[in-house]
């Protein structure tokens, strides 16, 4: 099937079997190997990308269902040099092996946008009002991203710093 | 993944007609279906994509809210009207899955996620749901995330939704467009099927039937609580969850609807529990009696016996909070 994706601002045409996931389309067909395949079942978050500004698990989505969509991968988060969030991950040791990091970065980018839009979370005390960048809020909102090196304190601090500076 | 044909439906009637074909399945968010297709637990011959049917709106209607089938779990949880008037639903949605999954998972898809257990996912194990008549490896096997109410000797899988539990407590109605004929609406207890000797049949939907929306009546209680108990703090299925919609009048419970997750093959509700609570004065004894009624027919396995005291304590805690 033929489809068009706008990936990191560039329009890309693809001819794909409908079985190809968005993750495999990015990694195998477009050579954008930043997005990682961890569990391939939506449990680890390593494949997280932004679709039309929202974070999703690209491993659980068929590429053909994204015809016309705008995709942002980790390669598109920075413009030649590390962005604020990426820099914060470096400063706070938000990784060890780095395998989950592209997913963490895309997920955190989407999550900070959700916070800016005033979405509540499971740990929010009320369903009204603004939600701060507390450790508990960040941990809850990032629970779809696993780090097997367990760099959570650094990840949490990095997101907090980038969110506060935004 | 087995090969399949992919069709993007442009309108509801085309979608229903396409999905009437044998082996066809609707796909919306795909968060459960694609996972099951990768494992070849499910192998539809055709997928009918319903994401571009305009079913992604939440509208005020008939004194309540009509939620389109492809409204995402995130959008539903964050909707100002849901947060204001149906907080139990926002809370249930926010307790489910992860941020990424909620951004993709839809209202209709959440209802239709498979009632399941680990043996259903393991194609080397016997499973009556996957292969009718094959037997059930879960009964007598390793159990934890399994049902204790409404089960049968053929299946003890549970429906893991949080959203549907809140909807059950809110008396939601599921609206369906059949492939031919007028639209239908189902109360949730008429929508799901208990496993009996046909655990592969989970709902009353016929081929080509499309969930178009869920209608939420005006809430019957302003005291709404959702409590979920699970093995880790986030991103895990409920071991037990309780959704309560309560109204109080002069120190007595004037309305009670209580639904349960993690216990049954469908979002569970017991009319006798609700009837006991209605008109009564809240007390520890009353809540214990409600738990007795809820659990009187429970049939736990060795690995799920813990759910009896857990469900009792969760129910008591929720009712204490809701009637305070």
């Amino acid at each position: 099937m033929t489809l068009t994706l706008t990936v990191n601002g560039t329009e890309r045409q693809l001819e794909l079997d409908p079985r190809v996931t968005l993750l495999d389309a990015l990694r195998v067909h477009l050579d954008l190997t930043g997005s990682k395949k961890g569990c391939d079942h939506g449990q680890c978050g390593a494949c997280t990308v932004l679709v039309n500004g929202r974070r999703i698990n690209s491993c659980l989505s068929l590429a053909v269902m994204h015809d016309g969509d705008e995709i942002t991968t980790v390669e598109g988060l920075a413009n030649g040099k590390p962005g604020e969030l990426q820099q914060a991950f470096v400063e706070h040791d938000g990784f060890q092996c780095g395998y989950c990091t592209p997913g963490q970065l895309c997920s955190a980018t989407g999550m900070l946008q959700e916070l800016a839009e005033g979405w509540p979370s499971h740990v929010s005390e009320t369903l009204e009002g603004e939600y701060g960048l507390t450790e508990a809020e960040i941990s809850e909102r990032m629970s779809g991203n696993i780090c097997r090196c367990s760099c959570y304190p650094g990840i949490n601090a990095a997101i907090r710093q980038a969110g506060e500076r935004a | 993944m087995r090969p399949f044909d992919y069709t993007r439906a442009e309108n509801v009637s085309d979608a229903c007609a396409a999905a009437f074909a044998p082996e066809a399945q609707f796909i919306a968010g795909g968060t459960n279906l694609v996972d099951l297709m990768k494992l070849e637990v499910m192998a539809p011959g055709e997928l009918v994509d319903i994401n571009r049917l305009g079913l992604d709106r939440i509208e005020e209607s008939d004194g309540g809210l009509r939620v389109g089938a492809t409204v995402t779990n995130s959008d539903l949880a964050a909707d100002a009207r849901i947060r204001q008037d149906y907080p139990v639903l926002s809370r249930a949605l926010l307790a489910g899955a992860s941020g990424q999954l909620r951004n993709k998972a839809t209202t209709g898809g959440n209802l239709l996620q498979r009632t399941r257990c680990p043996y259903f996912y393991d194609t080397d194990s016997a499973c009556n749901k996957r292969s009718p008549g094959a037997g059930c490896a879960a009964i007598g096997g390793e159990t934890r995330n399994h049902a204790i109410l409404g089960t049968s000797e053929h299946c003890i899988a549970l429906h893991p939704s949080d959203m549907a539990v809140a909807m059950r407590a809110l008396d939601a109605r599921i609206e369906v467009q059949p492939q031919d004929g007028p639209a239908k609406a189902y109360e949730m207890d008429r929508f799901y099927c208990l496993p009996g000797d046909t655990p592969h049949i989970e709902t009353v939907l016929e081929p080509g039937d499309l969930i178009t929306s869920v209608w939420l009546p005006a809430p019957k209680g302003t005291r709404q609580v959702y409590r979920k108990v699970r093995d880790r703090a986030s991103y895990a299925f409920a071991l037990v969850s309780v959704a309560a919609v309560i109204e109080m009048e002069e120190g007595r419970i004037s309305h009670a609807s209580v639904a349960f997750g993690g216990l049954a093959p469908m979002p569970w509700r017991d009319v006798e529990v609700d009837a006991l609570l209605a008109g009564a004065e809240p007390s520890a004894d009353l809540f214990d009696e409600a738990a007795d009624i809820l659990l009187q027919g429970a049939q736990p396995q060795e690995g799920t016996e813990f759910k009896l005291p857990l469900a009792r304590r969760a129910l008591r805690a929720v009712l204490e909070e809701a009637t305070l």
Side-chain angles (χ1 to χ4, degrees):
Chain A
M1 296 191 68
T2 309
L3 67 145
T4 306
L5 303 176
T6 302
V7 184
N8 301 328
T10 306
E11 209 172 277
R12 310 289 295 263
Q13 285 232 330
L14 288 159
E15 181 71 34
L16 295 177
D17 185 291
R19 286 175 290 181
V20 176
T21 61
L22 179 59
L23 177 62
D24 286 339
L26 294 167
R27 286 181 54 84
V28 179
H29 296 267
L30 295 175
D31 289 329
L32 289 167
T33 53
S35 307
K36 295 293 184 273
K37 186 179 282 193
C39 69
D40 209 23
H41 289 279
Q43 295 171 8
C44 75
C47 68
T48 304
V49 301
L50 301 167
V51 175
N52 303 328
R54 294 257 178 112
R55 54 178 172 157
I56 69 160
N57 301 110
S58 63
C59 75
L60 281 188
S61 204
L62 300 171
V64 289
M65 295 175 71
H66 292 285
D67 188 24
D69 283 349
E70 292 197 15
I71 319 291
T72 304
T73 68
V74 70
E75 291 92 341
L77 287 184
N79 205 352
K81 59 174 189 172
E84 189 92 53
L85 182 66
Q86 288 160 312
Q87 194 57 46
F89 266 68
V90 175
E91 285 172 27
H92 290 276
D93 275 341
F95 48 81
Q96 185 172 306
C97 82
Y99 195 79
C100 73
T101 311
Q104 300 278 2
L105 291 166
C106 285
S107 185
T109 303
M111 183 274 267
L112 289 171
Q113 181 60 32
E114 292 164 8
L115 254 181
E117 290 176 29
W119 289 11
S121 85
H122 173 66
V123 299
S124 304
E125 294 229 345
T126 75
L127 292 173
E128 297 138 27
E130 310 225 324
Y131 307 104
L133 276 165
T134 62
E135 189 180 344
E137 283 284 1
I138 294 170
S139 294
E140 165 59 26
R141 290 168 191 261
M142 292 296 292
S143 72
N145 291 82
I146 288 170
C147 172
R148 287 294 76 150
C149 307
S150 212
C151 297
Y152 298 111
I155 292 168
N156 200 299
I159 294 171
R160 189 171 191 168
Q161 177 180 305
E164 282 170 354
R165 287 184 185 172
Chain B
M1 212 186 293
R2 303 282 176 88
F4 58 86
D5 293 325
Y6 168 83
T7 312
R8 185 181 303 131
E10 303 293 336
N11 57 59
V12 168
S13 62
D14 286 357
C16 295
F20 190 63
E23 312 279 306
Q25 287 268 333
F26 292 118
I27 186 163
T31 52
N32 187 211
L33 180 56
V34 173
D35 189 23
L36 290 167
M37 287 169 64
K38 285 184 175 187
L39 297 165
E40 299 190 357
V41 172
M42 291 181 75
E46 181 174 357
L47 287 184
V48 181
D49 183 345
I50 57 162
N51 283 294
R52 303 189 193 194
L53 303 183
L55 300 175
D56 55 353
R57 287 186 285 271
I58 305 171
E59 291 167 338
E60 281 153 52
S61 177
D62 304 326
L65 281 183
R66 179 160 282 112
V67 181
T70 59
V71 171
T72 65
N73 289 179
S74 292
D75 284 330
L76 187 57
D79 184 272
R81 295 159 294 185
I82 298 290
R83 282 152 76 170
Q84 170 75 36
D85 297 329
Y86 306 88
V88 68
L89 180 54
S90 270
R91 286 294 182 189
L93 284 158
L94 294 170
S98 66
Q100 291 97 314
L101 288 170
R102 291 193 295 271
N103 278 344
K104 205 83 190 72
T106 63
T107 305
N110 189 315
L111 294 170
L112 290 179
Q113 65 179 300
R114 297 300 303 270
T115 295
R116 56 200 194 267
C117 93
Y119 293 101
F120 172 65
Y121 272 76
D122 175 16
T123 50
D124 290 330
S125 293
C127 174
N128 288 319
K129 187 181 285 297
R130 197 168 5 84
S131 324
C136 172
I139 296 174
E142 287 286 324
T143 51
R144 184 163 182 84
N145 278 311
H146 290 82
I148 60 169
L149 292 166
T151 56
S152 75
E153 59 184 308
H154 303 286
C155 185
I156 57 170
L158 63 77
H159 193 272
S161 176
D162 293 289
M163 181 198 82
V165 175
M167 285 185 171
R168 183 100 204 252
L170 288 164
D171 294 305
R173 211 166 60 193
I174 300 170
E175 300 177 321
V176 172
Q177 179 60 54
Q179 179 260 336
D180 60 358
K184 296 186 274 192
Y186 297 94
E187 305 295 328
M188 287 178 77
D189 60 333
R190 299 285 170 92
F191 181 79
Y192 290 103
C193 304
L194 290 178
D197 56 8
T198 54
H200 59 293
I201 299 172
E202 295 169 7
T203 71
V204 297
L205 293 180
E206 302 276 352
D209 282 4
L210 174 69
I211 296 178
T212 52
S213 49
V214 172
W215 182 70
L216 301 169
K220 296 193 180 85
T222 52
R223 296 162 179 252
Q224 301 183 12
V225 177
Y226 189 75
R227 177 79 65 96
K228 177 174 181 175
V229 186
R230 45 186 157 176
D231 276 327
R232 54 184 187 219
S234 186
Y235 197 15
F237 286 140
L239 296 169
V240 172
S241 73
V242 183
V245 177
I246 303 284
E247 194 58 35
M248 298 286 290
E249 227 168 275
E250 292 172 3
R252 288 180 176 274
I253 299 168
S254 58
H255 170 84
S257 48
V258 190
F260 302 87
L263 295 180
M266 60 192 270
W268 195 253
R269 192 164 154 190
D270 189 322
V271 288
E272 288 182 43
V273 170
D274 295 348
L276 172 81
L277 296 171
E281 204 173 312
S283 71
D285 286 346
L286 178 74
F287 302 157
D288 257 340
E289 200 183 332
D292 289 341
I293 293 171
L294 171 73
L295 298 168
Q296 62 193 351
Q299 290 190 305
Q301 301 283 311
E302 201 183 327
T304 50
E305 271 174 10
F306 74 95
K307 289 194 177 187
L308 295 171
L310 188 62
R312 177 177 297 276
R313 290 198 290 261
L315 175 58
R316 195 158 55 198
V318 164
L319 291 176
E320 276 170 9
E321 184 182 340
T323 58
L324 202 65

